[in-house]
C-alpha cells in the first residue's frame, strides 16, 4: 500500500513538472535520483544537477530552433573541415572567425574561390557557430534571394521581403556569380547591403573576383558601391585549391579505389 501511494505521488510529481514545462527534468529524474543516492549528493547538489540538465535541454532546443529558422541546408562544422586538403587556407584565421568577433563588431566575411574548395562548408560552419551562440542567422543563395525579391516585386511586398534579409544578425549569401543578376535584383541587393552596413554581418561565397562584380551585377557603379560597403569592415578569404568533390577521382575520371584519412568523407558530408 505504501509503495502504491509513493508511486502515485511520484507520477503526480512528474505531471506537475510537465505542467511547468520542465519536460527534460521529468525525463532524467529517475537517473538523477539514482546518481544522487550513489554519490551521496547534498540536496543543493542534487537540485543543481537537475537544473543543469533542464538548462542544457532548453539551450539545445533553442539552437535547434535557430538552426531551423536559419534555412541552412545542413549542419557543417569546422572540426569536420579538411584543412590539409587546402594548404592555401590559413586555419588560424578561420578559427579566429569562429570566435564570432566579426559578428559582435558587425563585420563581413567573404569567401572567394572556384567551385568545390569548401567555401559553403566554411560559411555554414560559421553560421552554425552563430546559432549556438544565440545569434539569428539567415541562409540564402543569390538565386533564391533573387526569386523571392522578384515575386515580392510582383505582388508589392518587396519592402517586407527586404526586411527579411536585413533583420538577422548574420546573413549568409551563397553562390554569388553562378547566375546573372537582373537589374532590379542588383538594386535590391545594394539596398540590403546598405541597410546592413555597420549594423549586421554578411557572409558571402563567390566564384568571382571583385573585378568581375560589375559584370555580375550588370552595373559597375552599383558594384563599386556594394563592394565599398562590404569591404570597409571585412575579412576576405581566398581559397586557391583543388575541388573537394573531385579529389576521389583519378585522371581518367573514374573513382579512386584506395582509402586514406584524407579521402574519407566526413560525417557532416562533403564540402560544397
Amino acid at each position: 500500500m505504501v509503495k502504491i501511494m509513493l508511486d502515485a505521488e511520484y507520477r503526480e510529481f512528474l505531471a506537475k513538472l510537465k505542467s511547468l514545462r520542465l519536460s527534460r527534468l521529468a525525463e532524467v529524474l529517475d537517473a538523477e535520483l539514482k546518481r544522487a543516492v550513489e554519490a551521496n549528493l547534498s540536496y543543493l547538489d542534487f537540485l543543481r544537477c537537475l537544473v543543469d540538465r533542464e538548462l542544457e535541454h532548453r539551450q539545445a532546443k533553442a539552437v535547434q530552433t535557430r538552426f531551423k529558422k536559419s534555412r541552412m541546408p545542413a549542419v557543417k562544422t569546422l572540426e569536420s573541415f579538411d584543412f590539409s586538403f587546402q594548404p592555401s587556407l590559413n586555419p588560424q584565421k578561420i578559427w579566429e572567425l569562429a570566435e564570432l568577433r566579426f559578428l559582435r563588431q558587425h563585420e563581413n566575411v567573404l569567401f572567394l574561390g572556384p567551385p568545390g574548395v569548401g567555401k559553403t562548408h566554411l560559411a555554414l560552419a560559421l553560421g552554425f557557430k552563430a546559432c549556438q551562440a544565440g545569434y539569428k542567422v539567415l541562409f540564402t543563395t543569390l538565386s533564391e534571394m533573387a526569386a523571392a525579391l522578384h515575386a515580392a516585386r510582383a505582388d508589392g511586398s518587396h519592402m517586407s521581403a527586404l526586411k527579411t534579409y536585413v533583420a538577422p544578425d548574420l546573413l549568409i549569401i551563397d553562390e554569388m556569380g553562378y547566375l546573372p543578376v537582373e537589374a532590379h535584383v542588383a538594386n535590391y541587393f545594394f539596398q540590403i547591403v546598405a541597410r546592413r552596413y555597420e549594423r549586421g554581418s554578411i557572409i558571402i561565397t563567390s566564384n568571382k573576383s571583385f573585378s568581375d562584380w560589375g559584370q555580375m551585377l550588370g552595373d559597375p557603379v552599383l558594384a563599386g558601391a556594394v563592394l565599398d560597403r562590404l569591404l570597409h569592415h571585412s575579412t576576405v578569404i581566398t581559397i586557391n585549391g583543388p575541388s573537394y568533390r573531385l579529389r576521389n577521382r583519378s585522371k581518367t575520371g573514374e573513382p579512386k579505389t584506395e582509402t586514406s584519412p584524407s579521402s574519407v568523407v566526413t560525417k557532416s558530408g562533403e564540402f560544397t
Side-chain angles (χ1 to χ4, degrees):
M1 177 64 73
V2 174
K3 185 177 186 303
I4 293 174
M5 289 179 64
L6 289 175
D7 287 344
E9 290 175 356
Y10 185 71
R11 288 195 297 272
E12 182 182 358
F13 181 64
L14 290 179
K16 288 179 179 179
L17 290 177
K18 292 177 181 178
S19 70
L20 290 171
R21 298 184 180 179
L22 298 172
S23 57
R24 181 57 177 169
L25 199 155
E27 291 172 3
V28 302
L29 185 58
D30 271 346
E32 291 298 331
L33 278 170
K34 291 177 183 178
R35 194 170 75 86
V37 171
E38 292 171 358
N40 195 27
L41 296 181
S42 67
Y43 293 128
L44 180 59
D45 287 339
F46 174 59
L47 181 60
R48 185 184 293 114
C49 288
L50 290 180
V51 172
D52 286 345
R53 297 294 84 75
E54 183 66 29
L55 283 174
E56 289 169 2
H57 175 67
R58 293 191 180 196
Q59 289 167 357
K61 283 191 69 176
V63 172
Q64 186 179 20
T65 298
R66 285 192 292 271
F67 176 78
K68 186 175 181 180
K69 289 182 177 180
S70 75
R71 304 179 192 171
M72 287 190 285
V75 174
K76 299 288 185 178
T77 65
L78 293 183
E79 289 78 7
S80 65
F81 189 90
D82 189 356
F83 286 98
S84 66
F85 191 70
Q86 298 296 357
S88 68
L89 195 59
N90 183 349
Q92 182 180 353
K93 204 169 199 178
I94 303 300
W95 283 109
E96 286 176 358
L97 289 173
E99 295 174 3
L100 305 181
R101 187 165 51 250
F102 78 95
L103 258 178
R104 295 189 292 273
Q105 297 176 350
H106 303 149
E107 298 176 349
N108 306 313
V109 180
L110 294 91
F111 291 107
L112 306 181
V117 296
K119 303 185 300 295
T120 301
H121 185 125
L122 293 173
L124 290 172
L126 292 177
F128 185 60
K129 286 279 187 184
C131 284
Q132 290 177 310
Y135 291 98
K136 295 179 181 178
V137 180
L138 179 63
F139 175 92
T140 183
T141 64
L142 186 61
S143 60
E144 287 172 349
M145 188 169 71
L149 292 173
H150 181 74
R153 183 170 180 248
D155 64 18
S157 62
H158 57 282
M159 294 306 296
S160 176
L162 283 174
K163 289 179 182 178
T164 300
Y165 300 106
V166 173
D169 300 308
L170 174 61
L171 175 64
I172 302 175
I173 305 175
D174 195 29
E175 297 180 353
M176 279 201 66
Y178 288 85
L179 295 172
V181 178
E182 295 182 16
H184 70 275
V185 174
N187 181 56
Y188 285 146
F189 176 58
F190 167 74
Q191 291 184 50
I192 291 167
V193 171
R195 294 185 187 195
R196 294 187 62 86
Y197 177 62
E198 296 187 331
R199 296 180 182 177
S201 297
I202 302 176
I203 294 178
I204 289 178
T205 73
S206 179
N207 65 336
K208 299 291 186 184
S209 64
F210 296 137
S211 60
D212 294 327
W213 280 40
Q215 181 179 1
M216 177 179 66
L217 296 177
D219 186 338
V221 175
L222 182 68
V226 167
L227 287 171
D228 181 59
R229 288 162 176 78
L230 283 176
L231 299 178
H232 184 206
H233 306 293
S234 69
T235 298
V236 179
I237 306 291
T238 301
I239 308 174
N240 294 312
S243 169
Y244 185 91
R245 299 187 191 96
L246 301 179
R247 72 176 182 171
N248 289 329
R249 292 186 176 276
S250 66
K251 293 181 180 179
T252 61
E254 295 297 323
K256 292 181 179 180
T257 56
E258 76 271 20
T259 59
S260 67
S262 62
S263 64
V264 175
V265 179
T266 63
K267 290 182 180 179
S268 61
E270 295 184 349
F271 294 152
T272 56

